[in-house]
Amino acid sequence: MIREAEARAHWIDRDTVAWQVDPSFEHILACGAELVIRLSPGTLSDEQRSAWPHLASYTALKVDPRDADLVREALREQVLAVARDGSGELAAATGVQLPGVLDDLYAGAATAPLGPRGRTIPRLSLWAPTARTVELVLYGPSRSVHPMRRDDETGVWSVRGLPAWWGREYTFLVTHHSGTNEVTDPYGLAVTPDGGRSRLVDLDSPELKPSGWDRLVKPPAVPQHRATIYELHVRDFSASDATVPDGLRGTYAAFGLDSAGMRELRALAEDGLTHVHLLPVFDFATVPEHRSDRTEPDCDFAALPPDSRRQQECVARTAATDSFNWGYDPLHYTVPEGSYATDPDQRIKEFRAMVAALNGAGLRVVMDVVYNHTHSTGVLDPIVPGYYHRLLADGAVADSTCCPNTAPEHTMMGRLVVDSVVTWARQYKIDGFRFDLMGHHPKANLLAVRRALDELTVDGDGVDGRSIILYGEGWNFGEVADGARFEQATQANLAGTGIGTFTDRLRDAVRGGTPFEADPRVQGFGSGLAGAPNGAPANGTAEQQRARLAGYTDLIQLGLAGNLRDYVLPSGKKGSEIDYNGAPAGYAAEPGETVSYVDAHDNETLFDALAYKLPQPTPMADRVRMQVLSLAIVLLAQGTAFVHAGSERLRSKSLDRNSFDSGDWFNRLLWDCSLGNGFGGGLPPRADNEPRWPYAGPLLADPALLPGCAAIGECRAGFGELLRIRASSPAFALGYEVCERLTFADAADGVIAMHADTSGLDPRWSSVTVVFNATPATQAQPMERLAGRAVELHPVQAASADPVVRESAFDPDTGTLTVPARTVAVFVAKTHPG
């Protein structure tokens, strides 16, 4: 019998229904009170099984040709699949999932105009093929309702307006068999505060542009394998910056000031940083957009003990209505977030001014986009029920991403993704896009995004689309895992596309374990596994530790080589033959498809991970050295380098592993070193951290783990030197020549020696050799190939602020490189000796 909200039958095209039902029954589609479509047993074709792999074992039921002309009318009614047995008794009945037949029947909608458009005369269009009527509602100064005309071939409803409509608020009244919903425009370009209504705007209007917007000069583009990216949250950037006026803290406008934060971003750009990656800045649901509607914590955080529970309790009381959230809860995909504006109605102009300010500082801008889920089903589902969100076998909305999953495998959801990205690129001059949970997208969808961007030109669109970079989280999980529904945009599947994915291989090898260990003290190459055991049982025996270190060394060498599937390691194994948790470690076809990182907004910061993993008595000076060494593995690797904002300053979130709603306190980004680095701010929020409180408490209470200005300055200086080294030579951007030019020497446990042949590429140096010494002792690394050559410490390190790295030495007689403990040393061989 029918259960409420169940939809177990799938109408996959105009001719076919797939349903797990006895084919010997009599089957119909009951559409509304009177309309019936007869079905007869059939088979799924190979093409259909390929397009719908999760339905391959279902019974195929074919629409009776005599009823083919009824399909469009039927789709505007409630559709039920009904089966009766040989005696005519009801055997089964269920709701019907409609995305497949809608994509087939209304294929023309894929190229039909949608959303607001026009210059003098506005026109609005909405795809709602199952609606009985659609009306436009205009607000202010009075409410008026305007009928919209349906195009039967595309299912698009349109209305032509008047010039006086520009600037007006609007919604759509969409009437289905189940009733009428008032909805915002999924293609809308502006909304009222908190997204209650859309607003009709022309993004080319001068009043929406900051001064000089049309003449904006961008920093030079860099290929993706040379990009160095700094992940930054808009509110974090200035919320704790006393050099920013209070009313501008946490806003887009803060980027236009000569503040401590902007001075630091300019300095990073001068060192070699190329991109700033902004956590979500589209319209999201969880922060009230008017400051007066927010409630902030009222505690004196700084007066509380460093290991107290009271800080997190105070944050939790106002978390739902304070000014902070990461923003991974989309409301309107193609509208800037209003809570970051000084006035939500100024969001478009202030967003553009922020982009211009970052470009002016020498940095290109990446947007973190979240097309894989929405905050709720309330924006998209009322327009075309059951279409925009991915449904499970019983018709329930999938939520494996955290929230209602979208279905970009459906034509019009996939098109929304492409059109939205193109709008951000053209109208906001965004230089890159990072896709959240990209593995929940079809590979075809990401390739469509790439093609659409590549078509944008400076002459025609104001931007060079080919210079826009794409990368994301290619994780494989949920109802789409292992290709269950389509070929996913996952790590291995994107090889050869030029689209980057984060590599968890290098991250885990440097930090140790995975971010999900019950005991956070599992050590890695950069956290003491090589010669500084912390005594945690989770690390296993000495023999097990040594074996794990060898495995981590392979993963790091592979990561330094761009995580290429065909790169051959010193062991003789290809990257694709190295194991990573049961999967091939190497998967990329070229280095630009790999994004190397050791920390990000997710999970503990690098400083906090090292706090857990290094032996607690480790001196701060050595902690700084291990922080720099870990960051060096990212910055000196082939491919895209990605760094979490503040890691160059030892940033801490007081051991919070999931600070998405932890308020300004736990997310502090402190440009003033006299305020510390955020460590010792209290036990991290209970919801995601309570099992680790027994480990966290003693660390937070230890004053020796609080870095001072000297330590923070040393880390920042070392980071800047690494940026300058990365930018100084093609050795760290070999592209397709990695396999021929990059090699690794045999080395002691805890040491990695990487050699890049730059002859013919670099006019100054014929080779660059990097030694990563993660051990607590000086190491002598034999490199016979360098014997008799003119080798010296890289000029940046020869003039380093770090006296230890300046002790690194080269013996020309033997080719031996000597590197101090916990140090990364870069040696260069002159092209023309003498």
Side-chain angles (χ1 to χ4, degrees):
M1 301 300 292
I2 302 172
R3 297 176 184 170
E4 186 177 358
E6 270 199 358
R8 295 184 178 275
H10 304 255
W11 200 345
I12 62 173
D13 58 38
R14 69 189 71 193
D15 300 317
T16 312
V17 174
W19 187 15
Q20 285 184 311
V21 69
D22 189 330
S24 67
F25 292 164
E26 177 188 358
H27 309 93
I28 63 167
L29 296 176
C31 310
E34 300 178 357
L35 190 61
V36 172
I37 292 179
R38 291 161 289 187
L39 303 173
S40 58
T43 57
L44 293 175
S45 67
D46 290 343
E47 183 179 1
Q48 288 172 324
R49 292 174 190 274
S50 176
W52 303 87
H54 62 298
L55 306 179
S57 64
Y58 281 41
T59 298
L61 302 171
K62 295 295 183 177
V63 171
D64 192 308
R66 294 170 294 177
D67 298 333
D69 292 341
L70 302 177
V71 171
R72 290 180 188 271
E73 181 182 354
L75 290 169
R76 298 167 78 175
E77 303 290 343
Q78 182 182 26
V79 181
L80 300 175
V82 178
R84 297 185 181 277
D85 63 21
S87 63
E89 294 294 319
L90 181 65
T94 187
V96 180
Q97 298 187 28
L98 303 178
V101 66
L102 293 177
D103 282 347
D104 180 29
L105 204 61
Y106 297 102
T111 56
L114 291 174
R117 63 194 189 282
R119 298 300 299 270
T120 304
I121 304 298
R123 188 177 180 90
L124 287 154
S125 299
L126 179 75
W127 187 65
T130 59
R132 293 178 174 178
T133 62
V134 177
E135 298 168 298
L136 173 72
V137 183
L138 283 179
Y139 289 88
S142 61
R143 182 181 185 273
S144 58
V145 179
H146 306 265
M148 299 179 71
R149 178 176 295 178
R150 174 189 170 94
D151 181 277
D152 285 336
E153 289 303 309
T154 63
V156 173
W157 300 75
S158 300
V159 62
R160 188 171 183 266
L162 301 171
W165 285 14
W166 289 113
R168 300 271 297 272
E169 298 170 12
Y170 72 97
T171 58
F172 297 113
L173 293 175
V174 182
T175 300
H176 295 281
H177 62 81
S178 57
T180 300
N181 295 300
E182 185 168 6
V183 299
T184 53
D185 187 350
Y187 271 75
L189 301 172
V191 293
T192 57
D194 298 319
R197 296 173 186 163
S198 299
R199 180 172 281 134
L200 185 56
V201 299
D202 174 8
L203 292 180
D204 289 321
S205 174
E207 53 264 32
L208 296 180
K209 298 178 180 180
S211 177
W213 178 250
D214 290 331
R215 302 183 303 279
L216 180 65
V217 177
K218 287 195 161 290
V222 297
Q224 189 151 325
H225 70 276
R226 294 194 63 181
T228 307
I229 300 172
Y230 192 73
E231 183 196 45
L232 183 64
H233 184 270
V234 167
R235 184 164 179 85
D236 288 356
F237 171 67
S238 60
S240 302
D241 188 348
T243 68
V244 175
D246 182 67
L248 300 183
R249 292 179 194 169
T251 70
Y252 301 129
F255 290 87
L257 305 175
D258 185 27
S259 64
M262 279 307 294
R263 289 192 292 272
E264 182 59 19
L265 288 185
R266 284 194 292 271
L268 287 167
E270 290 171 2
D271 285 336
L273 191 71
T274 64
H275 292 72
V276 162
H277 160 146
L278 298 174
L279 267 68
V281 284
F282 50 73
D283 183 44
F284 56 80
T286 42
V287 175
E289 292 193 336
H290 280 301
R291 185 173 295 198
S292 59
D293 293 332
R294 304 177 208 159
T295 304
E296 308 295 348
D298 58 0
C299 302
D300 184 358
F301 290 112
L304 297 173
D307 58 344
S308 171
R309 300 184 184 186
R310 291 172 60 189
Q311 292 95 327
Q312 60 89 29
E313 290 170 352
C314 186
V315 166
R317 284 196 291 270
T318 59
T321 56
D322 70 1
S323 296
F324 188 90
N325 198 282
W326 278 347
Y328 289 92
D329 49 338
L331 198 57
H332 296 96
Y333 280 124
T334 320
V335 178
E337 166 59 17
S339 69
Y340 294 147
T342 58
D343 177 343
D345 289 337
Q346 295 298 312
R347 67 181 81 200
I348 293 172
K349 187 174 184 178
E350 291 186 4
F351 184 105
R352 286 168 157 172
M354 172 188 65
V355 173
L358 286 167
N359 287 172
L363 295 162
R364 294 170 76 87
V365 180
V366 174
M367 269 186 69
D368 196 326
V369 289
V370 187
Y371 295 111
N372 65 83
H373 66 253
T374 54
H375 172 67
S376 71
T377 58
V379 173
L380 295 173
D381 195 64
I383 300 170
V384 190
Y387 181 85
Y388 283 103
H389 292 279
R390 185 176 299 120
L391 305 181
L392 300 175
D394 63 356
V397 176
D399 60 1
S400 58
T401 63
C402 79
C403 316
N405 295 357
T406 60
E409 65 269 29
H410 301 159
T411 299
M412 299 305 285
M413 181 62 216
R415 178 187 166 180
L416 177 58
V417 173
V418 175
D419 290 348
S420 177
V421 167
V422 168
T423 298
W424 287 112
R426 291 184 70 250
Q427 297 289 354
Y428 293 92
K429 305 186 181 184
I430 296 299
D431 305 295
F433 296 90
R434 176 268 194 191
F435 278 75
D436 182 67
L437 300 183
M438 188 166 60
H440 272 57
H441 288 255
K443 175 181 176 179
N445 184 226
L446 269 294
L447 293 178
V449 170
R450 181 72 271 169
R451 287 193 300 271
L453 290 175
D454 287 349
E455 292 173 0
L456 302 180
T457 65
V458 174
D459 290 341
D461 306 281
V463 295
D464 174 13
R466 292 184 178 274
S467 72
I468 294 172
I469 64 174
L470 294 180
Y471 60 96
E473 294 180 305
W475 315 137
N476 176 34
F477 70 96
E479 73 285 352
V480 299
D482 301 320
R485 297 198 176 211
F486 45 76
E487 185 180 13
Q488 302 158 260
T490 49
Q491 292 168 322
N493 288 348
L494 288 173
T497 66
I499 298 170
T501 58
F502 289 94
T503 171
D504 41 358
R505 282 80 163 145
L506 184 141
R507 176 202 67 191
D508 291 352
V510 173
R511 290 167 66 114
T514 74
F516 315 108
E517 305 287 349
D519 186 336
R521 297 173 296 173
V522 177
Q523 293 179 286
F525 182 90
S527 61
L529 187 58
N534 60 25
N539 285 304
T541 65
E543 183 179 350
Q544 290 170 329
Q545 291 175 40
R546 185 165 185 175
R548 196 166 79 252
L549 179 59
Y552 285 165
T553 298
D554 281 348
L555 292 177
I556 291 172
Q557 289 178 337
L558 185 59
L560 289 166
N563 220 67
L564 303 181
R565 61 190 178 193
D566 292 331
Y567 185 81
V568 180
L569 292 167
S571 65
K573 291 185 178 181
K574 288 183 178 181
S576 59
E577 297 171 339
I578 302 296
D579 177 72
Y580 173 76
N581 297 334
Y587 59 81
E590 56 97 2
E593 295 166 356
T594 295
V595 180
S596 297
Y597 73 114
V598 288
D599 65 348
H601 65 279
D602 281 322
N603 309 307
E604 293 91 352
T605 68
L606 177 59
F607 180 89
D608 287 346
L610 295 179
Y612 274 132
K613 296 169 185 295
L614 289 171
Q616 189 167 340
T618 303
M620 183 55 63
D622 285 339
R623 292 178 180 275
V624 172
R625 303 198 71 78
M626 295 305 279
Q627 181 102 359
V628 172
L629 180 141
S630 297
L631 292 170
I633 294 172
V634 170
L635 292 178
L636 302 183
Q638 303 294 317
T640 304
F642 181 95
V643 179
H644 184 44
S647 284
E648 79 287 358
R649 306 176 63 82
L650 304 177
R651 183 183 185 180
S652 168
K653 295 182 181 179
S654 203
L655 301 175
D656 190 354
R657 64 181 303 272
N658 188 13
S659 68
F660 82 101
D661 201 20
S662 299
D664 291 333
W665 178 251
F666 286 97
N667 286 284
R668 285 171 295 162
L669 179 53
L670 300 167
W671 305 114
D672 181 351
C673 64
S674 69
L675 300 175
N677 71 332
F679 194 79
L683 286 168
R686 180 186 300 273
D688 290 290
N689 299 280
E690 187 176 15
R692 296 189 176 186
W693 280 0
Y695 304 106
L699 298 172
L700 295 170
D702 185 350
L705 297 185
L706 292 172
C709 280
I712 292 171
E714 289 165 7
C715 188
R716 171 61 183 91
F719 182 81
E721 291 175 4
L722 290 168
L723 281 176
R724 295 197 294 277
I725 290 169
R726 177 179 171 90
S728 71
S729 171
F732 307 106
L734 295 173
Y736 287 102
E737 296 188 63
V738 170
C739 291
E740 291 74 37
R741 292 182 175 267
L742 194 74
T743 56
F744 294 91
D746 293 332
D749 290 347
V751 179
I752 294 175
M754 177 177 74
H755 179 81
D757 175 4
T758 55
S759 56
L761 297 178
D762 192 324
R764 292 180 298 171
W765 304 315
S766 60
S767 70
V768 177
T769 305
V770 185
V771 180
F772 303 87
N773 177 10
T775 75
T778 298
Q779 297 287 340
Q781 174 63 50
M783 292 287 285
E784 293 181 5
R785 72 180 74 186
L786 296 179
R789 297 178 62 184
V791 175
E792 61 189 19
L793 197 60
H794 192 289
V796 169
Q797 290 190 321
S800 175
D802 174 17
V804 176
V805 75
R806 297 201 306 266
E807 296 174 5
S808 303
F810 170 68
D811 182 343
D813 294 330
T814 64
T816 299
L817 305 169
T818 302
V819 179
R822 295 173 167 136
T823 295
V824 178
V826 182
F827 297 88
V828 294
K830 291 183 178 180
T831 301
H832 303 290

